[in-house]
Structures are given as C-alpha cells and as structure tokens.
Amino acid sequence: MALSGLDIYKLLPKTNCRECGFATCLAFAMQLAKKAVGIDKCPHLTSEVKGKLEAQSQPPIKLITIGSGETRLEIGNENVMFRHEEKFFRPAGIGFIVEDNSTDAEIKTKIEKINELKFERVGQRLEVNLVAIRQNKDAKRFIDVVQLVSVNTPLSLVLMSPDAQALKGALEILKGRNPLIYHATKENLTALTQLAKDYKVPLVAQGDDLEKVSELTAELSKQGVNDLIIETGKKPISEKVWDLTQIRRLALKKSNRGLGYPSLVVVEQNDVYAEAQEAATYITKYAGIVLLKGIESWAVLSLLTLRQNIYTDPQKPLQIEPKLYPIGQVNDKSPVLVTTNFSLSYYTVLGEVEASKIPAYIISIDTEGMSVLTAWAAEKFTPQKINESINKFGVKDAISHKRLVIPGYVAVMSGELQDESGFEIIVGPKEAAGIPSFLKNL
Amino acid sequence: MALQLITEKWSGEVSVVTIGAANQEGGTRSHAVKIGGEKSLPYLFKEGSLPNKPQIAFEILDIMPSDWPNAVSAPYGKTLNDPLEWADKCVRDYQAGILCVRLLGSHPDFGNKSPEEEAQLIKKLLKKVSVPLVILGSGDDAKDNLVLPAISEAAKGERCLIGSAVQDNYKTIVASVLADGHNIIAESPIDINIAKQLNILISDMGLALERIVMNPTIGALGYGLEYAYSIMERSRLAALAGDKTMASPFICFVGQEAWRAKEAKADDLPDQGIIWETLTATALIQAGADLLVMRHPKAVEKVKEYIDNLFRS
Ligand code: SF4
C-alpha cells in the first residue's frame, strides 16, 4: 500500500533543515507522497528509511513479461485484494504441461490441441497462454522436445527442469522467445541465477514456505535477477489459497519486496473436474500463472470463462455492440424486444428468447453498458434514444409490423415512446425469466 | 528476521442456521444440517474457524421440468414425472443430505396448482424422505402468498428453509415461517443495500437473524457470475467486520443458473454443462457460498469432493 504524506513524514529526520529545498520536512513528505520529487533530495536519510521509501515508489507487485510478441503474457502490477476495490488487472496465464518422455507424435498432437484452445465469448477472445515442457529424461531429449514444441506453437514457453545444462541448451535455441525458467531453489540457485542473467529471462523461485521463498527472491534480487515469479510447492488447496493470499497481502500492505512478484501454481490431477476446480480456485485467488495437465476443451473453456469473469472491470461492465440482433429464423412478423447493451442484460434476454424457441429480434440500445434500471435512471435509456436506435439499426426495414416490446421495469415510458416512434408499445415482463411465456402469449 | 504474516482479526462472524428438526426437536427429520458460522474469509483456516462445510441441496420440482437440457434430466429418467420418486432417487442413489423442492407447478402459467395440493405434496414428501427440506414457491408473488403459508403449516415443526421473501413481498411469508418454526430465504437482486434492508425488515417482524439465509441472486459462470461473486465478498467482509444484519449465510441457486447457460445446452457434450455447474459452484464457494442448490448428480459429487478437499490439510 502506498504511504501517505504523514506516513512518510514520520520517517524523515524532522529537523526542517531545508536542504531539500522545502521549508519543512512535512512539505517534502507531501511532495514525496505525490511522487513529485525524488528521495535523493534529502541528504539526511538513513539507508533503512531510504529502502522503505524506494520500495514504495515501485509497484508493489512487479510486472513480469513471459514470451515475446503478440502472444506474450504480462502478469503482476496488481493493486487490490478484492476485485470490487478497483479491479484485477492482468488475467492469470493458463498453460499446459508437456512431458519430454512422451513420443514426438504424442507431443505434436498435444501441441496441436493446445493451439486450438481458442474461444469467443461476449465479444471477447479467450485464449490460453503457455506451454510448459517438463524434463523427465536426459538433457538431450529435453532440448529436442523444446525444439519440437517451439516450432509448433506461438505460445509462450516454460522450461521445467532442474538441470542447468539442459536449460542452457534450451535457452540457446529459444533466443528471442523469452521463456520462463522453472524453477530456482536453494540448491540450484547459483547456476540458475547465471542462466537468468545470461539469457535475460524470467525465473520462478520456489520455496516450501513464504519465509524460504522470500529469502530466495531477496538473494536473487541481490544477484541482479529481478524478473521473478513465486511458487510455494505442492500443498492442499486451502493452504495454497493461504499462501497466495499472504503473498498478495504482504506485497500490497507491507510493501514486502521479497514477495512483490506474481505467483505460479501447478495443478496436476488425473480427474478433469478436480483439476479444473483446483485451477478455478487459484484463478479467483490471486494466481498469476496456472499450469495444468489436462487439455479437454470443455474444461478449458470453463476456466477461461471464469478468468474472464473475475478479471472484468467491476466499474466498466462488459458491453456488446448496440444493434439489431436476429435470434432464430426471424421474418418480418417477428417481435422486437428492446434491451440495453450491457452484456449481462443482453445475454439474459438472449438466453430466454432462445429458450422460448420463438424467433425474435433483440434491439440493444447503447446505454454505455448500464443495465435497464440504472440506464433509465441515468437517462441513457430514454424514448428519444430508443427511437434513434430504431432508425439507425434499420428496424423498419426488418419488420412489417409496428410493435415494440420494452422491459417491464420501464413501463412508464410507454406513452412517450409511442409518440416518439409511432410504434405500438407492449410492456414485457420485468424479469427476463418471464420472456418465454410472454412470447408464447403475444 | 522471521516473516510476519498478516492475520486479519475479525470481530464478527456469520450466523449459524440450522435446517431440519429431528425427533427430539419436534420434527421428523433424520438429521439437521447446519450452515454458516464462518469466522474468516473463505478457507483461510489459519485466520479463523469455518465450522460448517458448505452443503449441497438437490433441486427437485413438483412438476416435470420443461426447460432442463437433456444432460441434466437424463440421470433422473422417469422419476422427473413424480416428485416423490424423484426425491427418493436423490436420497437413495445420490445420498442427498438435503433437498430443495421448487413448487413451480403452483405458478399460474405452469399448472396453477392449489395451495392445498402443494401442502399435500409436502406432507407426502416429508413421509417419503427424511432429509431436511428447502421449499420454494413459484416466484409469482400473489400465488406464493397463498401457497407458502399452506406449505409452511403442512411442514410445521420440521424447521425447513422456505423462500423467497423479497423486498416488496415478505410479510405474509415471514409471518408463516415465524409461526411454524422454519427459516427464511431473503432474496435481493445482486444488491448489498437491499439485502441488508430486507434482513432488517424481516428481523423487525420478530424473526431472528439466525433464521435468515440470504439469496444474493447469482449468475452462472459467464453470465454475471462476477457480480454475485463480488457482492458476496463485500457482504461477507461486512459480516466479519461485525455487521450482524449482513451475517446471514448464503444460498446460491447454482443449478438453475448454470443449466440456463448456452454452453450447458450442448446435448452432444454433457460434460460441458456439468462442468459449467461445477465451476459456478466452485467459484461461489470461494466467495462464501454456504448452501448450493444443484441439479446434476455428477456436478454435486465433484463439488462435494472439492469441499472435502478444502477441509483437508
Ligand atoms: S532535507 Fe531532509 S531533513 Fe532537511 S528539511 Fe528536507 S526533508 Fe527535512
């Protein structure tokens, strides 16, 4: 959490010596809090205070980039514990583990399937991010598989190997791909530090508990390796949630540098459901990267949808393009239902119209993503606006009748809308759930 | 230097609601189900206790469901025609520990069954199965005001969970629930202020806050899940910070929402719907859900296993 001017003032010498160019230490503190001056202007700071102040001038969770080009993954730079406080900024990367002891043919098939894990929902593209290659055999096989995978996928890569020799060979052929090395421990620290420095690639630091892992990241950072990702090993789900929560809390609230990095979790369960549920848990609870075994598209779609939900900006709801949408086999007699361009409103109405099996048009009005009642209260959902949209979206060309169904909640605008548009206004149900029976009786 | 973890100290806790009354408590249920009681955010056991596991109620209807996709109706087969057989199957074949009966057939558009018919059904159901019951009206306010008092009386002393009370229609049902010793579902439209207001209105009528379960009105995965997720997080934070009027456990109608999703209607890929229901539940459990009303036996099984895993350390 950022320090306030007063917090900073408490750390200053309070001598008001003016050497910083300000009349008082307090004035200087206020400017520091606004990041309007540099801390080096005050020559009287102890190194401990300097460290604290420097830490607060950096983002509490470092932004880490894995991969390069369009498919690169950026994680970190998060500001809050709960999405309602602001938003979660950088959607967790989803990746899949490929074993180097599979045959080349198996690996190719798996990569092809992974490459195809692309979906579209609510007007957004949902994509997976990473392929992780795990070493089970000798260095040569690992390097060969890295080569095989890298030419077959544009996704960012993770190198899962404890073997510095194997990693070096892989990094050599992945120049420019900026892969993530998984993972540095106390034991292989020296060798992996060197690799991360030589090849300028991000590195996962692993320790079984938060204390160990923060010591490790501190050591790495001392060695000049700062592009780090944290992992705390295999443990039961709720302990993992505890770790992820503490990492986020300590980074945000205590500006703990050693934990000021994104986290990675490896989820490996044989049961597709169990694996998806565990992964879903970490997507909701702060994970920066989730690596999985399974690639069933139905499970992946549900995880990507969850990620999309959790990382939606609560202040800026998802919107759809305002226009006239034909649902089913419409003709010029089909009813026209009015709703907003707030995704949730639209998709709820859509779901009910589809369920009714009665072809209909939905006209979505540009309410800047507000729901029916909110938009009506904010005068974004007015008879004038609806009439404009009717004309703009060619409603009169699509249908031969002159009837319009409006949401039950805005029944009050019927008269005015009728005058404005010349359409007969029919008041629909308040809740979308009432649409099927409403349409049947229309 | 040892790392200082941040452990939140909460002054409040979620109230414990007991559903079902056994013999010694004046009912005929084989057991009671307790929900709520959390003293921490979801599954941070090191911060405070979470004494009761989230529970899953199987949802059944009093009429043959007309809009359930194949994937979710298939496991129940012919029993969907008969609420008593359906209920029995949930308990026998799927070990349901609690059932949720939706009296949709009382809705004017879906058969308009009379309050007396529904009361009879509840009486038979209480004989047929011995698990605690959640009983829902049809959602038609006027009709619910006739049906819910009748079924409340029919189930007197069984300590059911009955719903739903909404902001502009709560008095009749609260009065019945109060008289007959049940608990109530307070439903609010993804709105934390209305949720609080409704809890206050209900408790002002004399029903203890410990007899209220909140329905925050969820959306399914991909259909507004995140709104309910955040409303639940905010409500739970308020409860833990000591706001007793927000300290009711949550009931989430996961099955109803998930099986409306387009993704769940892929008949050639039943797993898609099942995982849709499963992950909707998973995410809401992480937001604090206490009672999940679900439909597909496999989704229920997976979520149960997940809950057991959460409580394993
Ligand atoms: S130089 Fe430092 S000690 Fe002197 S007034 Fe400025 S802040 Fe205070």
Side-chain angles (χ1 to χ4, degrees):
Chain A
M1 206 167 39
L3 297 177
S4 70
L6 226 51
D7 293 334
I8 295 174
Y9 173 67
K10 288 181 191 145
L11 301 172
L12 297 179
K14 306 189 191 75
T15 51
N16 301 335
C17 76
R18 292 172 177 251
E19 277 172 59
C20 55
F22 292 90
T24 61
C25 292
L26 183 61
F28 179 66
M30 291 302 173
Q31 294 306 307
L32 262 186
K34 281 194 253 166
K35 304 200 162 77
V37 290
I39 53 168
D40 47 339
K41 290 276 188 255
C42 170
H44 304 294
L45 298 177
T46 63
S47 61
E48 188 196 335
V49 168
K50 244 190 204 156
K52 270 191 191 159
L53 293 176
E54 259 160 15
Q56 84 117 17
S57 65
Q58 294 166 19
I61 300 170
K62 194 166 192 289
L63 181 71
I64 305 293
T65 304
I66 297 145
S68 57
E70 269 185 31
T71 57
R72 75 180 181 279
L73 173 69
E74 289 181 334
I75 48 172
N77 243 357
E78 298 292 341
N79 288 339
V80 293
M81 294 302 299
F82 302 101
R83 54 187 296 285
H84 67 258
E85 294 174 314
E86 185 179 9
K87 69 181 245 187
F88 290 170
F89 285 88
R90 290 167 201 281
I94 310 277
F96 303 92
I97 300 169
V98 171
E99 308 287 350
D100 73 350
N101 56 354
S102 307
T103 66
D104 284 8
E106 285 165 354
I107 292 171
K108 267 196 179 157
T109 314
K110 187 160 186 183
I111 296 295
E112 264 166 43
K113 284 196 183 138
I114 295 170
N115 286 339
E116 279 163 22
L117 294 170
K118 289 182 186 160
F119 309 89
E120 207 175 304
R121 285 200 88 255
V122 210
Q124 284 193 335
R125 287 159 65 90
L126 304 183
E127 291 174 340
V128 301
N129 311 92
L130 301 151
V131 178
I133 304 119
R134 178 156 57 195
Q135 184 179 13
N136 300 286
K137 302 183 85 176
D138 57 16
K140 180 175 179 311
R141 176 63 188 160
F142 180 70
I143 295 165
D144 285 348
V145 172
V146 168
Q147 172 71 23
L148 179 67
V149 171
S150 73
V151 298
N152 281 295
T153 185
L155 297 175
S156 305
L157 302 176
V158 184
L159 303 175
M160 301 180 89
S161 157
D163 171 354
Q165 233 20 60
L167 285 169
K168 191 174 167 63
L171 288 165
E172 206 47 52
I173 54 175
L174 292 178
K175 280 193 174 151
R177 290 285 292 261
N178 192 33
L180 173 66
I181 303 180
Y182 177 99
H183 50 76
T185 59
K186 238 176 153 170
E187 288 68 41
N188 65 10
L189 189 63
T190 322
L192 264 55
T193 305
Q194 201 53 47
L195 284 178
K197 276 164 101 169
D198 290 349
Y199 292 91
K200 295 195 176 53
V201 290
L203 178 64
V204 175
Q206 193 206 51
D208 290 343
D209 63 44
L210 298 174
E211 180 133 7
K212 283 189 194 131
V213 82
S214 60
E215 279 166 14
L216 199 59
T217 54
E219 182 56 32
L220 282 158
S221 156
K222 217 191 274 169
Q223 306 285 331
V225 180
N226 289 303
D227 282 345
L228 297 172
I229 288 176
I230 292 176
E231 206 228 326
T232 60
K234 229 181 154 55
K235 42 186 86 173
I237 301 180
S238 31
E239 283 183 38
K240 203 73 184 176
V241 169
W242 176 251
D243 283 359
L244 291 166
T245 305
Q246 285 298 333
I247 292 168
R248 175 72 66 96
R249 273 188 192 164
L250 287 161
L252 293 184
K253 299 188 177 179
K254 290 263 167 79
S255 302
N256 184 314
R257 296 313 306 169
L259 296 174
Y261 304 98
S263 348
L264 176 147
V265 289
V266 178
V267 181
E268 288 184 274
Q269 298 214 37
N270 290 324
D271 182 82
V272 183
Y273 285 86
E275 187 172 81
Q277 286 179 284
E278 189 178 348
T281 307
Y282 305 147
I283 288 172
T284 65
K285 299 289 159 99
Y286 318 123
I289 291 178
V290 180
L291 295 182
L292 306 161
K293 222 159 68 159
I295 53 169
E296 276 73 8
S297 74
W298 46 272
V300 175
L301 170 63
S302 60
L303 286 174
L304 293 180
T305 304
L306 177 64
R307 177 179 74 176
Q308 179 188 36
N309 284 169
I310 294 297
Y311 281 86
T312 297
D313 184 346
Q315 269 77 46
K316 238 189 273 146
L318 283 184
Q319 304 179 22
I320 54 146
E321 185 192 342
K323 65 175 195 187
L324 185 69
Y325 292 88
I327 315 302
Q329 297 295 321
V330 289
N331 60 36
D332 64 344
K333 310 256 180 335
S334 302
V336 181
L337 282 71
V338 182
T339 190
T340 71
N341 77 323
F342 171 43
S343 287
L344 188 54
S345 299
Y346 172 76
Y347 283 98
T348 314
V349 173
L350 174 68
E352 298 298 340
V353 170
E354 284 176 344
S356 79
K357 304 216 164 65
I358 295 173
Y361 285 100
I362 303 176
I363 179 169
S364 106
I365 312 297
D366 184 1
T367 55
E368 296 162 29
M370 288 183 202
S371 66
V372 170
L373 273 178
T374 323
W376 178 73
E379 304 204 341
K380 307 274 183 207
F381 194 54
T382 60
Q384 293 72 26
K385 193 101 177 227
I386 295 172
N387 188 39
E388 268 169 40
S389 308
I390 291 173
N391 294 324
K392 197 157 99 196
F393 303 147
V395 173
K396 288 169 186 154
D397 302 330
I399 56 171
S400 60
H401 63 84
K402 294 212 91 182
R403 288 182 305 277
L404 209 56
V405 181
I406 61 168
Y409 279 116
V410 291
V412 289
M413 69 160 75
S414 305
E416 205 183 329
L417 181 56
Q418 187 144 342
D419 295 345
E420 187 86 26
S421 64
F423 275 65
E424 178 195 341
I425 306 304
I426 303 165
V427 177
K430 282 187 177 171
E431 300 295 341
I435 289 176
S437 67
F438 172 83
L439 284 178
K440 275 169 200 141
N441 298 318
L442 198 63
Chain B
M1 196 175 66
L3 185 70
Q4 280 288 324
L5 299 184
I6 303 179
T7 316
E8 304 277 4
K9 299 267 177 291
W10 300 110
S11 59
E13 61 190 85
V14 178
S15 44
V16 178
V17 176
T18 307
I19 307 166
N23 262 335
Q24 62 271 28
E25 295 174 300
T28 62
R29 304 300 84 202
S30 59
H31 63 279
V33 165
K34 284 187 192 308
I35 55 168
E38 295 93 331
K39 294 194 179 78
S40 99
L41 287 170
Y43 311 105
L44 302 181
F45 290 98
K46 292 178 183 156
E47 206 153 85
S49 66
L50 295 104
N52 299 303
K53 286 183 181 176
Q55 298 291 323
I56 304 172
F58 275 77
E59 179 177 346
I60 65 172
L61 306 187
D62 63 334
I63 50 170
M64 173 103 178
S66 62
D67 60 350
W68 286 27
N70 256 338
V72 61
S73 49
Y76 299 105
K78 282 208 282 293
T79 68
L80 292 179
N81 270 322
D82 180 345
L84 296 177
E85 290 307 314
W86 185 356
D88 194 48
K89 185 174 179 66
C90 292
V91 176
R92 269 173 203 270
D93 293 0
Y94 305 129
Q95 290 78 46
I98 177 165
L99 280 180
C100 174
V101 201
R102 186 186 293 275
L103 301 174
L104 189 62
S106 66
H107 195 285
D109 292 350
F110 296 102
N112 208 14
K113 283 205 221 178
S114 70
E116 295 71 32
E117 278 175 274
E118 298 293 22
Q120 276 310 315
L121 173 66
I122 294 300
K123 278 196 174 145
K124 284 187 198 150
L125 194 59
L126 285 164
K127 288 223 175 69
K128 185 85 181 176
V129 297
S130 62
V131 299
L133 296 185
V134 181
I135 307 172
L136 306 171
S138 66
D140 182 274
D141 284 355
K143 192 62 186 288
D144 282 353
N145 283 341
L146 302 172
V147 171
L148 294 176
I151 59 98
S152 167
E153 210 199 321
K156 189 170 178 130
E158 298 285 4
R159 205 192 276 145
C160 301
L161 174 61
I162 296 179
S164 294
V166 293
Q167 197 184 20
D168 45 20
N169 191 51
Y170 65 94
K171 288 192 178 141
T172 312
I173 154 172
V174 173
S176 296
V177 160
L178 195 55
D180 301 324
H182 303 298
N183 305 296
I184 205 164
I185 299 172
E187 174 184 321
S188 52
I190 340 179
D191 186 316
I192 196 164
N193 298 317
I194 295 177
K196 185 178 165 77
Q197 183 61 23
L198 184 57
N199 280 358
I200 293 170
L201 290 170
I202 293 173
S203 68
D204 281 352
M205 283 184 69
L207 192 74
L209 284 165
E210 292 70 30
R211 284 168 69 182
I212 303 176
V213 176
M214 290 194 281
N215 171 11
T217 318
I218 62 146
L221 180 63
Y223 295 83
L225 174 93
E226 71 273 26
Y227 294 90
Y229 184 91
S230 283
I231 287 288
M232 287 165 69
E233 279 197 331
R234 285 172 59 195
S235 305
R236 189 52 55 87
L237 285 166
L240 293 173
D243 184 345
K244 290 203 161 52
T245 61
M246 290 304 287
S248 305
F250 296 116
I251 182 170
C252 297
F253 292 95
V254 170
Q256 164 191 295
E257 294 305 316
W259 290 99
R260 280 169 52 191
K262 197 166 78 196
E263 289 77 358
K265 289 175 182 150
D267 281 341
D268 53 332
L269 188 58
D271 279 314
Q272 185 71 77
I274 301 172
I275 202 155
W276 218 256
E277 184 175 24
T278 304
L279 283 204
T280 301
T282 307
L284 294 173
I285 285 171
Q286 286 300 331
D290 295 280
L291 178 56
L292 304 121
V293 180
M294 297 181 63
R295 290 182 177 172
H296 200 288
K298 184 165 179 186
V300 173
E301 178 195 322
K302 296 299 174 188
V303 175
K304 259 194 193 146
E305 285 170 10
Y306 171 77
I307 292 167
D308 288 344
N309 272 332
L310 280 179
F311 280 74
R312 190 169 295 148
S313 58

